[in-house]
Amino acid sequence: MKILELLVEYRYYYIEGIKITIMLSFFSLIIGTTLGGILSLLRLSKFKPLKAVSTAYIELIRGTPMMVQIALVFFGSYALLDLDLDRFIAALIAVSLNSAAYVAEIIRSGIQSVDKGQWEASRSLGLSSSQTMRHVILPQAVKNILPALGNEFVTLIKETAVASTIGVLDLMHASKIVQSSSYTAFDPLVIVAALYFVITFSLSKLVGLLERRLSHSD
Amino acid sequence: MIRIENLNKYFGDKHVLKNINLQIKEGEVLALIGPSGSGKSTLIRCIDYLEEPDSGDIYVDGQNIVKAGKEIDKIRQNIGMVFQHFNLFPHKTVLENITLAPVLTGRMTQKEAEEKAIELLKTMDLLDKKDAYPASLSGGQKQRIAIARSLAMEPKIMLFDEATSALDPEMVGEVLKVMQDLAKSGMTMIVVTHEMAFAKEVADRVVFMADGEIVEENTAVELFENPKHPRTIEFLSKVL
């Protein structure tokens, strides 16, 4: 079996690649979700300039390819700011900024999906707007958006493969190395596809588990 | 206890509250009646500042809520509001629904709030539902929990915005019973309602509204037995 032989022979590259891909995905997911949360609140704010800035940001990010964004961060930081950014850091920034825009839209729709009566009931009891957001609106919003959020996380993991274009040593990069060192084009692609699938499928299952945990009140 | 002066409210071009003046004394039960779209719900929502008046003043316990700014949260803690659609928090159990506000506002410790909640649930005959989620309750049960949730804050005033309108007919009675007991206990109440029998029996005073104006106000007996304004007569002839 050629595939198994490749997998064993080049295991070191694959393991390192998986580590980088998982690290890049994990940190981007944390940073992206945090930024996305803030962006969604800005977008829902009554203060027009803040709303405009976040809307413009979201539209810009969603309207340009991730591959271009990653190159812009990596080469732009050098050309414009004279910074010699580590490749991994550049990819982390680009993927986080990208995912923030998508997450912001998901969270915004989640907040808006919560019935306005919930807001009124909470405020009428004397809770402040931040207490209402935290204890009443967000817990319900999170439950509503979990499937969409899980989908976005899966997309994020797959999109990190673009980081290989600026030379980050991720799983995709490992696959390219295996292709050129073993002089085989096809089999390493099957391997890398399977490995990405294992990672994303595990995450989907994890999100599904969380969904079931949160559905106890239905 | 509540004084409303020259209150005006617009929704876009529509003038929904036209120069409303109204006073409610402590311990008084006031029923607001009138046809749909007459502005009675908007009026009661203004008192809890869920609608922002365009002009006029509303004094609750001496404080002008229109100019309260951040203080509004504190004022609202003394005003209970019961909604047509209950608006229970679906992600929290019955007990958590009731204890959330007293604890978060610092009125009670978790333990005190739970004791209060259990006491309220006992009077509502719903103690066995304390760990249930709202989705598993009937409409009448939900509304009684919603009333308990408001009462847990020990408010000075209770506002009821068509509290029985969304209920199946056989559940209206159990909610009205709770409201009646509350009225007997001396609570200051404003009740927007379509239940004329209830208004007649429980309210000290009845206000009839139409087209954003107070058309007539009188004691319950007088207004129902001896209405003076033609619009009141017309309305009552349709609903009684």
Side-chain angles (χ1 to χ4, degrees):
Chain A
M1 231 356 229
K2 181 83 172 156
I3 285 176
L4 276 181
E5 278 168 26
L6 283 174
L7 200 54
V8 172
E9 191 179 344
Y10 294 100
R11 62 185 179 281
Y12 174 77
Y13 292 101
Y14 283 124
I15 289 168
E16 284 306 303
I18 287 172
K19 270 194 213 161
I20 297 284
T21 289
I22 287 180
M23 272 192 349
L24 183 56
S25 305
F26 179 76
F27 290 115
S28 307
L29 192 149
I30 303 281
I31 301 170
T33 308
T34 312
L35 285 178
I38 297 168
L39 269 175
S40 69
L41 292 180
L42 294 184
R43 179 135 196 208
L44 289 171
S45 94
K46 285 189 187 124
F47 187 55
K48 286 270 161 59
L50 284 181
K51 193 185 172 112
V53 167
S54 71
T55 307
Y57 175 83
I58 291 166
E59 290 302 332
L60 208 63
I61 294 287
R62 295 204 302 179
T64 50
M66 170 99 114
M67 197 184 267
V68 177
Q69 292 164 5
I70 264 186
L72 275 175
V73 171
F74 183 54
F75 299 114
S77 59
Y78 186 74
L80 297 176
L81 307 170
D82 213 19
L83 274 176
D84 191 9
L85 219 51
D86 179 78
R87 286 160 201 273
F88 179 82
I89 300 293
L92 179 62
I93 292 172
V95 178
S96 301
L97 291 180
N98 178 283
S99 135
Y102 289 93
V103 171
E105 278 301 88
I106 294 170
I107 295 180
R108 179 184 66 89
S109 72
I111 290 173
Q112 287 178 334
S113 74
V114 177
D115 182 53
K116 144 174 156 303
Q118 293 289 309
W119 179 268
E120 291 182 349
S122 175
R123 295 306 304 272
S124 81
L125 288 164
L127 300 186
S128 67
S129 55
S130 59
Q131 286 172 326
T132 299
M133 209 42 159
R134 186 162 155 230
H135 295 277
V136 177
I137 307 296
L138 283 180
Q140 296 182 58
V142 166
K143 199 178 132 188
N144 292 349
I145 64 179
L146 215 50
L149 217 48
N151 200 14
E152 164 57 21
F153 293 160
V154 165
T155 306
L156 182 148
I157 293 175
K158 294 187 292 183
E159 293 251 285
T160 59
V162 173
S164 65
T165 59
I166 58 165
V168 175
L169 305 174
D170 71 340
L171 185 52
M172 191 63 216
H173 193 270
S175 178
K176 286 177 188 166
I177 292 175
V178 175
Q179 276 181 315
S180 50
S181 335
S182 64
Y183 305 108
T184 35
F186 183 69
D187 292 350
L189 285 176
V190 174
I191 296 172
V192 79
L195 290 176
Y196 271 111
F197 179 76
V198 169
I199 300 172
T200 55
F201 190 69
S202 320
L203 183 80
S204 299
K205 283 283 151 204
L206 220 61
V207 173
L209 212 67
L210 200 59
E211 266 175 59
R212 273 199 296 285
R213 283 277 303 274
L214 286 178
S215 67
H216 59 83
S217 62
D218 289 337
Chain B
M1 179 124 244
I2 300 176
R3 198 166 80 244
I4 301 169
E5 291 178 352
N6 305 321
L7 182 69
N8 281 284
K9 172 77 188 167
Y10 294 84
F11 286 137
D13 292 336
K14 204 163 175 272
H15 199 175
V16 288
L17 290 177
K18 297 171 186 162
N19 219 36
I20 302 285
N21 287 283
L22 191 64
Q23 290 201 29
I24 295 107
K25 292 196 289 284
E26 193 169 347
E28 192 174 23
V29 177
L30 184 96
L32 271 177
I33 61 168
S36 305
S38 58
K40 46 193 198 311
S41 276
T42 309
L43 176 60
I44 204 173
R45 286 165 58 82
C46 280
I47 298 169
D48 207 16
Y49 209 59
L50 293 174
E51 301 288 352
E52 216 172 305
D54 289 300
S55 69
D57 297 299
I58 301 171
Y59 296 89
V60 175
D61 228 1
Q63 267 178 298
N64 189 349
I65 66 156
V66 177
K67 299 193 171 71
K70 286 243 172 237
E71 280 293 295
I72 190 66
D73 293 338
K74 279 257 179 292
I75 299 173
R76 277 178 175 147
Q77 290 172 20
N78 292 318
I79 309 175
M81 178 93 171
V82 178
F83 300 87
Q84 184 178 357
H85 296 289
F86 332 123
N87 299 346
L88 290 178
F89 306 134
H91 60 302
K92 298 200 174 287
T93 64
V94 165
L95 195 73
E96 289 165 347
N97 262 279
I98 300 174
T99 57
L100 182 74
V103 174
L104 281 183
T105 55
R107 285 222 163 171
M108 299 174 195
T109 63
Q110 182 68 35
K111 191 164 170 289
E112 286 166 345
E114 278 177 23
E115 282 167 8
K116 176 88 191 167
I118 285 169
E119 176 198 320
L120 283 165
L121 286 172
K122 266 187 200 155
T123 59
M124 306 270 175
D125 209 15
L126 284 170
L127 192 56
D128 56 323
K129 299 289 183 197
K130 77 178 168 63
D131 297 316
Y133 283 94
S136 67
L137 304 175
S138 75
Q141 291 171 332
K142 282 183 193 165
Q143 194 61 298
R144 284 185 285 153
I145 303 287
I147 295 172
R149 178 176 68 175
S150 288
L151 290 177
M153 287 298 287
E154 299 177 340
K156 294 179 181 160
I157 301 157
M158 285 290 286
L159 309 175
F160 292 85
D161 186 6
E162 300 198 20
T164 58
S165 298
L167 296 176
D168 291 335
E170 75 270 23
M171 290 168 186
V172 170
E174 62 191 67
V175 173
L176 290 181
K177 171 81 172 52
V178 170
M179 290 166 66
Q180 192 165 10
D181 291 347
L182 198 57
K184 274 188 201 142
S185 76
M187 177 66 79
T188 310
M189 289 165 61
I190 303 181
V191 183
V192 170
T193 187
H194 292 294
E195 300 288 334
M196 295 304 145
F198 176 79
K200 194 171 171 181
E201 197 182 324
V202 177
D204 300 307
R205 197 149 54 99
V206 179
V207 169
F208 172 71
M209 285 183 76
D211 296 328
E213 288 175 300
I214 293 181
V215 175
E216 187 169 345
E217 60 172 294
N218 215 328
T219 61
V221 179
E222 268 298 299
L223 193 120
F224 284 110
E225 309 275 319
N226 193 13
K228 297 197 175 56
H229 198 282
R231 294 234 33 191
T232 319
I233 296 167
E234 187 205 340
F235 176 74
L236 289 178
S237 72
K238 277 184 197 152
V239 296
L240 286 180

